[in-house]
Amino acid sequence: MLDIKNLHVKLEDEGREILKGLTLSVKPGEVHAIMGPNGSGKSTLSYVLAGREGYEVTDGTATLKGEDLLALEPNERAAKGLFLAFQYPIEIPGVATMQFLKVALNAQRKARGEKELSVPEFMRLVKDKAQQLNVTQEMLKRPVNVGFSGGEKKRAEILQMAVLEPKLCILDETDSGLDIDALRVVAEGVNALRAPDRAMVVITHYQRLLDYIVPDVVHVMANGRIVRTGGKELARELEAKGYAEYVEAAE
Amino acid sequence: MADQDTIDLVKDIDVDKYKYGFTTDIEQEFAPRGLSEEVIRFISAKKNEPQWMLDWRLEAYRVWQTMVEPTWAKVSYPKIDFQSLYYYAAPKAVTGPKSLDEVDPKLLETYAKLGIPLKEQEILAGVRQQGEKSTLDEEGAGATTPVAVDAVFDSVSVVTTFKAELAKAGVIFCSISEALRDHPELVKKYLGSVVPQGDNFYAALNAAVFSDGSFVYVPPGTRCPMELSTYFRINAKNTGQFERTLIIADKGAYVSYLEGCTAPTREETQLHAAVVELIALEGAEIKYSTVQNWYPGDKDGKGGVYNFVTKRGDCREAHAKISWTQVETGSAITWKYPSCILRGDHSRGEFYSIAISNGRQQVDSGTKMIHLGKHTSSRIISKGIAAGRSDNTYRGLVSAHRKALHARNFTQCDSLLIGDKCGAHTVPYLEAKTSTAQFEHEATTSKISDDQMFYVMSRGLSEEEAVALIVNGFVRDVLQQLPMEFMAETQKLIGISLEGSVG
Amino acid sequence: MTSAAATAVLTPAEMAIGTPLPTRRQEDWKWTDLRRRIETPYARGAGVADPSRVARLIAADPLAKLPLRRVVFVNGVLDRSHSDLTGLALKDGAPALAEAEWLAAMNTTLEAQPVTFTVSGTADRPLHLMFLTLADAPAAAGARVHIDVAEGASLQFIESHRGIGAYLANPALTIQLGKGARMDRAKLELEGAEATHLAVAELTLAADAVLRDFTLTSGAALNRQNGRITFAGEGADARVTGAYLLGGAQHADTRLVVDHQVPRCLSREVFKCVMDGDARGVFQGKVIVAPDAQKTDGKQSSHALLLSERAEFDAKPELEIYADDVVCGHGATSGDLDHDHMFYLMSRGIPQAEAKAMLIAAFVGEVFDGVDHEGLRDVLTAFAQNWLTAHKS
Ligand SMILES: Nc1ncnc2c1ncn2[C@@H]1O[C@H](COP(=O)(O)OP(=O)(O)O)[C@@H](O)[C@H]1O
Ligand SMILES: [Mg+2]
């Protein structure tokens, strides 16, 4: 599904290298967790995959289902099935959430040569998913993420994911800022999307989320590289020992 | 704690008394009254200037004669008779910078009255040598950071301290007259390169008749080892003061410079038309702070200094930075816009200002941030406080030229009104000639809230003390930009400036 | 066809006798060089236009389908045949303009036929003044309208400005809102591409009057609007908004003075300016608070969105305040589209052009949303959509 080979990325402005030869391979149906200390480059990785400007890829490749991701515009990547749940979802005043979702969904369907959804079809779809995720009608009436609490933003991200039904989901610290109940709701939403033809990359700082979304593979990232890979028991080990040894080793 | 100082000070003050309003009786030498080519030749000859300097002055004079006084500022004053002024006055005893021993003790007395920080007075008076521990320091506090001082008395620089130490670092800090004699190539190269002779009416006048001022050159990669400081004082009657300051920070250099100004209490107005030019080359940084406390005139608007000043910095090369900080409490009229030309890519300009007006004072001050280079950024924080029957105007321009891609500016302009007989005005100009420029400007005008006053007074402060306290909070963002040594002094000054503003 | 009545040809200098054309040295004209812009002479008045052409132009008005009371001015003169005047209190003449500026002087020089509308009670339908200018040769026309909204009365008022040819339209409007009166005003400046639109609007609010004012500026090669809102009675409330949608080499300059002469009034101004191509937008807003106008609450903001690297925006948000117990402020911003917003929308699959259109619509949407009349709001939204489609770059 996702193949990243020897990815080197630097900041366009500062020229500082953030990803220093990262390699990662995720197969359909798998859930991978990436854990690592703050500043290790986890968000950078997710942004580069989603196509945010400001980063320069100096070496390496990233493909989605064999197709070169890095050559595509962000919207083309989305249409190919990539979805990023942002660590910090962006507020967009003046753009209604429902309109935004509908335009996004239909743009993706159109790009894939699928039929666009009618308004009633779309409304039904969103209503169902919103209910599962405790997203109220009132929230849907507001502009995109405007006036949402931290937890509401994260739930709204998962709602978008559920509506857009991507093939590769990247969740960047979706657990941060959530209380235990909200965490459970979000995790259920994510688990409901687990499917044989869908892969997930769950980025998290803490092991807590992985109690609910049980990963197949756990990676440790430090200083712009994957420094260790293991099974789900690795997450517990990290919880107990911390990242110190990896950070030192990576420096 | 500092706020307590302010309160104590306010308590001690005689209302309507300008602390610095004494005159010093020293024999003066004057140029003939009025302005003419002859007077300019006289000034130039007095200073033994090279021919090119005289020619430069005469050219400025010719341009000035074709110019008219600007009227766009929100200030009004009777027409100035430029022929009734003296353009050159010098203490007779000292015709040029001398060593400390030779300085007239009356001048030293003057510095004391000027409120030059005690530690510096020690140095000025020769009590303490550079680097020696001050007797004024608290035990265990260690040696204080030295401050090199240049004092300009009417038209002439009378003393410059710490020269030797600075010379060791390669820093040149002297009067402009000395610089003309010892470093003519530097002066010739940079003088007028930021503020040309014909830049504006007052700048042209200054270029024709400027008497003295400070010159600073910091060589490449050098961090100036101490604060540099100049005290300006107008003493003689009917005298215009036209000093010129030129500061050059060569590649990678850093310098912090502070000027302080006072003038005696006189019924007649005094004219001050200075020019300051700053040049920052690649990666250099200049921090320029001013505490301006010229005589503001009495409560009916009689007397006071007309302060018509042109200050401009040029971030000439990439990654240069110029920061202006000003505390304007004095002068009858202030007309002053310290500006930055952001020519080098990634260069940065800053302007932090506190302008306090009381009585009949008129302030029209602000800045210009001219973005020419790519990725240039600027920041403006202006705090205006109007009291009494004064008018206080912020006037500022932020412009990004077509090629100033990704220029950024943030401006915050706040005005505070104390009493209902004063005016506070905000006149910003924004010019964005490229979509990639991001400008953000915000301004507010309000009075001190009744709730705040009530709260503070319920803790036992008088109305006047409460105002001083709240105002000090209002200007905090700017105060913090001042060199440490001057923060406390400035807080006191704010208290003094606002006295008599309530009740 | 314009009739031959357009006789006297005026040079720019003659157009406003006794008041020379402003120069850029004048503070208010810093960013608009009228001397360079008005080079060709204009005929005084565009004469009488062909009725069938007028009818066609009326039918093409974006507001034509709304149930409004339509009153048409052609070439500055009231066109009774195309107007619905039954039951309207209308008389000839209008008070003199307060402002002595060039724009006002010019309107006087053009010798328009001034009319005054008086409104009492609540009008049955919104009043739509449709200003049309048709000129085959460069001609200047200036309508002069006064609207007097009596004490307690209320009026929804829409003016639209359109035309064909290289004309100069110079409408001058004065509005007096009586005690407790209310006006919802919307102005649509949709002049022809070669036109020059130089407008004066002076509004005075008596005690407790309420004004909701919106201006769309999207037509004309050159636009200058001098607005003045005067608070003459306590407790009045004015919300003034505007949107620019400019492209090509268009130039629009709004000078808006909000004058708080009395205590306890509230003013809000929000301008959203979108400039594409080589367009240049200028906003000069001034809030004046007179001595004794205590408890004034006056805020102003202007925001520019520059869609092309060559577009320009100049702003001068000015405060002149002589009373201390006030809360006043302004904000101004300029920039291109927020890159984070663009990335977020695109990361959800929305193509760049569409994402851009959504963000621009959201940007001006804030001021459209304040328009009370639903039909008009829909017209505005549709207009913005069309504009965006035409300016997709
Ligand atoms: N757009 C950006 N601009 C500046 N610095 C950035 C940017 N993106 C990432 N960085 C820097 O890259 C490093 C890695 O950050 P990030 O990818 O957010 O790490 P993580 O998500 O693992 O905490 C940090 O030093 C961060 O400051
Ligand atoms: Mg992160």
Side-chain angles (χ1 to χ4, degrees):
Chain A
M1 176 73 70
L2 174 66
D3 279 291
I4 303 171
K5 291 204 183 82
N6 188 34
L7 192 63
H8 286 261
V9 172
K10 64 180 189 185
L11 295 172
E12 239 165 39
D13 276 358
E14 297 171 40
R16 180 156 57 99
E17 186 165 65
I18 306 294
L19 299 185
K20 302 168 181 174
L22 184 137
T23 298
L24 176 69
S25 178
V26 181
K27 293 196 184 64
E30 286 182 348
V31 173
H32 288 225
I34 298 182
M35 303 182 71
N38 276 329
S40 55
K42 304 184 297 294
S43 292
T44 301
L45 172 64
S46 65
Y47 285 142
V48 168
L49 293 177
R52 187 180 188 164
E53 60 184 43
Y55 302 98
E56 192 189 335
V57 177
T58 51
D59 201 4
T61 57
T63 59
L64 182 68
K65 289 182 278 183
E67 228 174 318
D68 180 10
L69 261 184
L70 303 175
L72 302 176
E73 291 294 320
N75 56 307
E76 295 168 331
R77 300 180 197 204
K80 300 275 182 217
L82 182 110
F83 180 93
L84 167 63
F86 284 55
Q87 182 175 2
Y88 305 106
I90 310 285
E91 298 184 14
I92 309 183
V95 174
T97 302
M98 284 301 267
Q99 187 214 358
F100 157 68
L101 261 179
K102 183 162 160 287
V103 171
L105 180 61
N106 281 334
Q108 289 199 22
R109 295 180 71 99
K110 200 169 143 193
R112 292 194 290 258
E114 297 163 15
K115 195 172 117 332
E116 295 184 23
L117 286 192
S118 70
V119 175
E121 284 171 324
F122 171 75
M123 297 296 276
R124 212 173 310 121
L125 175 73
V126 174
K127 224 178 137 188
D128 283 357
K129 312 257 178 193
Q131 229 157 22
Q132 290 163 17
L133 286 157
N134 269 351
V135 172
T136 61
Q137 290 301 302
E138 195 269 327
M139 277 169 69
L140 291 173
K141 284 198 185 112
R142 278 185 257 165
V144 178
N145 292 321
V146 175
F148 288 22
S149 71
E152 284 175 340
K153 280 182 187 163
K154 297 298 171 76
R155 293 208 306 271
E157 291 288 286
I158 302 305
L159 170 65
Q160 291 177 27
M161 187 166 104
V163 169
L164 297 171
E165 299 184 313
K167 290 287 171 248
L168 174 70
C169 310
I170 304 171
L171 283 71
D172 191 358
E173 302 218 14
T174 299
D175 52 335
S176 64
L178 292 184
D179 61 34
I180 195 74
D181 295 327
L183 185 68
R184 205 171 288 138
V185 171
V186 164
E188 277 168 20
V190 174
N191 284 330
L193 285 166
R194 288 181 84 148
D197 63 342
R198 182 173 287 136
M200 295 194 185
V201 176
V202 180
I203 295 170
T204 181
H205 194 67
Y206 304 102
Q207 182 263 338
R208 194 177 65 157
L209 178 69
L210 304 181
D211 287 343
Y212 297 94
I213 306 171
V214 182
D216 301 302
V217 185
V218 174
H219 306 275
V220 181
M221 186 165 168
N223 198 17
R225 275 189 216 104
I226 303 279
V227 291
R228 194 174 158 198
T229 297
K232 55 178 177 280
E233 64 292 342
L234 178 55
R236 294 205 180 278
E237 186 190 320
L238 286 168
E239 181 82 352
K241 291 210 237 153
Y243 298 112
E245 65 174 281
Y246 299 106
V247 176
E248 280 158 30
E251 239 123 60
Chain B
M1 197 197 82
D3 291 335
Q4 188 56 46
D5 285 349
T6 309
I7 293 157
D8 292 344
L9 220 110
V10 170
K11 273 186 185 153
D12 289 345
I13 295 265
D14 257 312
V15 171
D16 202 29
K17 203 160 178 194
Y18 178 66
K19 179 178 161 199
Y20 307 102
F22 53 87
T23 48
T24 309
D25 268 326
I26 302 178
E27 246 193 295
Q28 301 267 354
E29 183 179 17
F30 292 96
R33 197 190 272 254
L35 186 53
S36 63
E37 279 203 19
E38 282 59 53
V39 169
I40 292 165
R41 285 177 198 283
F42 173 91
I43 295 170
S44 189
K46 269 279 158 212
K47 301 188 155 293
N48 294 320
E49 285 177 358
Q51 182 64 35
W52 67 264
M53 193 67 246
L54 174 63
D55 294 342
W56 195 83
R57 287 175 180 276
L58 291 173
E59 191 187 322
Y61 178 60
R62 270 170 227 130
V63 177
W64 179 73
Q65 285 176 306
T66 67
M67 298 173 97
V68 286
E69 265 184 271
T71 54
W72 43 260
K74 211 175 164 51
V75 295
S76 65
Y77 52 91
K79 205 149 176 52
I80 298 170
D81 179 3
F82 289 95
Q83 292 307 337
S84 73
L85 293 173
Y86 289 104
Y87 287 86
Y88 182 82
K92 235 180 195 158
V94 276
T95 47
K98 300 250 168 155
S99 75
L100 272 171
D101 318 339
E102 289 171 51
V103 172
D104 188 325
K106 282 204 172 115
L107 273 177
L108 292 179
E109 252 170 63
T110 303
Y111 302 138
K113 289 191 203 163
L114 290 175
I116 290 175
L118 289 170
K119 288 167 198 164
E120 288 168 41
Q121 269 183 53
E122 273 191 304
I123 297 161
L124 277 168
V127 171
R128 171 162 67 103
Q129 288 297 308
Q130 52 188 47
E132 211 176 285
K133 192 170 174 292
S134 167
T135 50
L136 295 163
D137 278 329
E138 284 163 38
E139 247 181 276
T144 43
T145 23
V147 177
V149 178
D150 182 22
V152 176
F153 199 77
D154 286 324
S155 300
V156 173
S157 170
V158 289
V159 60
T160 308
T161 61
F162 277 113
K163 265 198 185 150
E165 168 122 346
L166 289 168
K168 237 186 281 163
V171 175
I172 305 169
F173 179 37
C174 61
S175 71
I176 280 265
S177 323
E178 260 181 287
L180 265 170
R181 195 183 63 215
D182 301 341
H183 311 281
E185 70 302 333
L186 282 176
V187 179
K188 199 167 179 181
K189 180 167 176 193
Y190 290 108
L191 187 76
S193 71
V194 188
V195 181
Q197 287 132 302
D199 187 80
N200 68 69
F201 184 82
Y202 301 111
L205 181 62
N206 174 287
V209 304
F210 76 88
S211 32
D212 216 333
S214 303
F215 176 85
V216 177
Y217 173 79
V218 187
T222 306
R223 192 179 168 89
C224 185
M226 63 191 81
E227 295 274 341
L228 302 183
S229 175
T230 300
Y231 284 89
F232 293 107
R233 169 86 179 158
I234 304 178
N235 192 55
K237 202 170 162 176
N238 288 329
T239 303
Q241 177 151 332
F242 306 94
E243 82 272 0
R244 196 159 183 118
T245 302
L246 179 57
I247 300 178
I248 302 127
D250 213 320
K251 292 182 197 297
Y254 169 86
V255 61
S256 168
Y257 184 93
L258 182 123
E259 61 169 9
C261 332
T262 56
T265 301
R266 289 195 188 282
E267 276 188 21
E268 312 81 25
T269 52
Q270 289 163 293
L271 176 64
H272 176 246
V275 171
V276 175
E277 297 179 275
L278 310 182
I279 295 126
L281 302 184
E282 192 180 331
E285 178 174 349
I286 302 175
K287 198 170 154 54
Y288 194 104
S289 313
T290 304
V291 177
Q292 184 266 111
N293 187 27
W294 297 117
Y295 178 54
D298 71 7
K299 63 180 191 319
D300 300 318
K302 210 158 187 214
V305 170
Y306 290 177
N307 193 31
F308 300 133
V309 171
T310 304
K311 293 187 168 178
R312 196 173 301 152
D314 185 357
C315 289
R316 202 160 280 183
E317 296 177 355
H319 296 281
K321 179 178 169 186
I322 289 178
S323 176
W324 296 100
T325 303
Q326 63 173 27
V327 179
E328 303 283 318
T329 61
S331 294
I333 296 174
T334 301
W335 181 101
K336 181 181 174 198
Y337 315 90
S339 303
C340 296
I341 300 169
L342 303 168
R343 205 185 299 275
D345 292 348
H346 297 276
S347 61
R348 178 168 175 84
E350 292 175 346
F351 175 74
Y352 299 98
S353 171
I354 299 170
I356 301 180
S357 57
N358 200 350
R360 299 270 180 178
Q361 280 178 276
Q362 304 174 58
V363 178
D364 196 299
S365 184
T367 184
K368 287 183 190 176
M369 293 290 172
I370 315 282
H371 293 258
L372 301 174
K374 296 185 188 72
H375 295 280
T376 49
S377 65
S378 61
R379 180 179 168 84
I380 299 171
I381 309 285
S382 164
K383 305 279 179 178
I385 298 134
R389 292 176 171 273
S390 67
D391 263 299
N392 199 324
T393 302
Y394 167 83
R395 187 182 303 276
L397 167 71
V398 176
S399 79
H401 285 243
R402 189 131 285 179
K403 289 182 179 149
L405 298 178
H406 308 288
R408 268 171 199 278
N409 166 265
F410 174 79
T411 300
Q412 176 78 48
C413 265
D414 298 315
S415 303
L416 200 59
L417 291 139
I418 301 176
D420 58 2
K421 298 285 184 289
C422 50
H425 319 298
T426 314
V427 193
Y429 299 79
L430 284 84
E431 296 180 348
K433 292 194 196 299
T434 164
S435 64
T436 61
Q438 295 282 350
F439 286 177
E440 209 176 311
H441 171 103
E442 240 178 85
T444 63
T445 305
S446 55
K447 68 165 191 167
I448 294 176
S449 86
D450 295 341
D451 291 348
Q452 280 177 346
M453 281 299 280
F454 174 72
Y455 182 80
V456 176
M457 288 171 72
S458 76
R459 295 294 178 263
L461 275 72
S462 74
E463 201 176 355
E464 206 153 75
E465 291 161 352
V467 167
L469 186 80
I470 293 168
V471 168
N472 266 316
F474 176 74
V475 301
R476 165 165 298 135
D477 290 352
V478 177
L479 275 184
Q480 285 169 345
Q481 299 299 325
L482 284 172
M484 280 300 280
E485 295 90 325
F486 301 95
M487 260 174 77
E489 302 237 340
T490 305
Q491 281 180 319
K492 287 177 195 168
L493 195 57
I494 290 168
I496 297 166
S497 308
L498 288 172
E499 72 196 35
S501 65
V502 289
Chain C
M1 277 292 292
T2 344
S3 99
T7 44
V9 171
L10 295 172
T11 65
E14 288 163 349
M15 280 192 289
I17 294 141
T19 315
L21 266 173
T23 76
R24 288 192 50 213
R25 247 175 276 136
Q26 273 161 272
E27 190 55 31
D28 286 0
W29 291 91
K30 201 174 158 52
W31 289 302
T32 299
D33 191 350
L34 222 44
R35 289 187 179 222
R36 248 195 41 216
R37 290 277 190 159
I38 303 184
E39 282 173 323
T40 48
Y42 288 87
R44 183 200 296 266
V48 180
D50 174 355
S52 65
R53 277 182 83 192
V54 172
R56 275 205 301 280
L57 204 51
I58 291 173
D61 194 284
L63 301 168
K65 292 196 179 64
L66 296 179
L68 311 172
R69 176 197 283 275
R70 187 198 304 140
V71 175
V72 180
F73 289 77
V74 177
N75 296 344
V77 179
L78 177 63
D79 179 346
R80 292 175 183 269
S81 66
H82 289 103
S83 299
D84 174 3
L85 300 171
T86 47
L88 260 192
L90 173 69
K91 65 171 197 270
D92 288 342
L97 292 165
E99 193 163 293
E101 239 259 28
W102 187 83
L103 261 52
M106 160 108 164
N107 182 270
T108 310
T109 307
L110 285 172
E111 291 168 354
Q113 296 169 16
V115 288
T116 293
F117 296 88
T118 305
V119 179
S120 43
T122 301
D124 56 343
R125 281 166 292 162
L127 175 65
H128 175 198
L129 299 191
M130 189 188 281
F131 296 92
L132 304 174
T133 312
L134 293 100
D136 290 330
R144 173 74 189 91
V145 174
H146 178 70
I147 301 178
D148 195 340
V149 185
E151 185 172 335
S154 105
L155 177 69
Q156 284 199 323
F157 167 50
I158 304 169
E159 42 175 311
S160 62
H161 299 260
R162 295 157 56 235
I164 295 170
Y167 59 90
L168 187 156
N170 176 220
L173 174 75
T174 47
I175 292 170
Q176 171 70 46
L177 295 186
K179 234 173 139 183
R182 178 185 172 112
M183 175 182 275
D184 287 272
R185 171 178 177 241
K187 173 180 176 181
L188 277 57
E189 191 274 271
L190 308 171
E191 303 277 18
E194 298 166 79
T196 294
H197 179 88
L198 307 174
V200 179
E202 294 173 355
L203 294 83
T204 305
L205 280 69
D208 301 317
V210 174
L211 171 69
R212 297 288 175 267
D213 189 296
F214 167 79
T215 300
L216 171 67
T217 301
S218 194
L222 170 65
N223 170 306
R224 165 73 178 214
Q225 298 175 94
N226 279 3
R228 177 177 284 271
I229 291 163
T230 306
F231 289 99
E234 295 190 20
D237 169 337
R239 283 164 213 260
V240 184
T241 58
Y244 288 7
L245 292 172
L246 303 175
Q250 282 184 288
H251 181 111
D253 180 349
T254 297
R255 172 78 176 125
L256 176 63
V257 178
V258 175
D259 190 357
H260 286 264
Q261 293 186 346
V262 295
R264 271 176 281 277
C265 291
L266 180 144
S267 65
R268 289 283 179 280
E269 296 132 68
V270 180
F271 276 71
K272 294 288 188 98
C273 308
V274 181
M275 271 73 65
D276 196 10
D278 290 295
R280 185 171 186 186
V282 180
F283 179 75
Q284 309 186 65
K286 183 174 190 173
V287 175
I288 303 173
V289 178
D292 305 324
Q294 300 291 8
K295 307 278 179 204
T296 289
D297 180 348
K299 293 201 180 73
Q300 179 197 89
S301 72
S302 54
H303 304 284
L305 185 54
L306 303 180
L307 299 178
S308 106
E309 246 182 47
R310 296 175 318 280
E312 283 182 46
F313 181 63
D314 305 298
K316 186 186 173 200
E318 200 177 345
L319 300 172
E320 189 174 308
I321 295 171
Y322 291 100
D324 61 334
D325 192 4
V326 300
V327 182
C328 290
H330 63 227
T333 60
S334 175
D336 55 1
L337 286 168
D338 188 308
H339 295 228
D340 286 342
H341 291 175
M342 280 297 289
F343 173 59
Y344 192 77
L345 293 179
M346 288 176 72
S347 79
R348 296 301 180 249
I350 301 172
Q352 185 168 29
E354 214 165 331
K356 220 167 137 176
M358 279 173 94
L359 292 178
I360 300 165
F363 179 77
V364 291
E366 187 193 334
V367 288
F368 287 1
D369 287 347
V371 172
D372 198 43
H373 193 286
E374 197 186 329
L376 176 58
R377 219 163 45 228
D378 294 342
V379 167
L380 289 172
T381 308
F383 180 87
Q385 279 308 328
N386 286 340
W387 188 88
L388 289 172
T389 313
H391 288 85
K392 229 171 237 176
S393 39

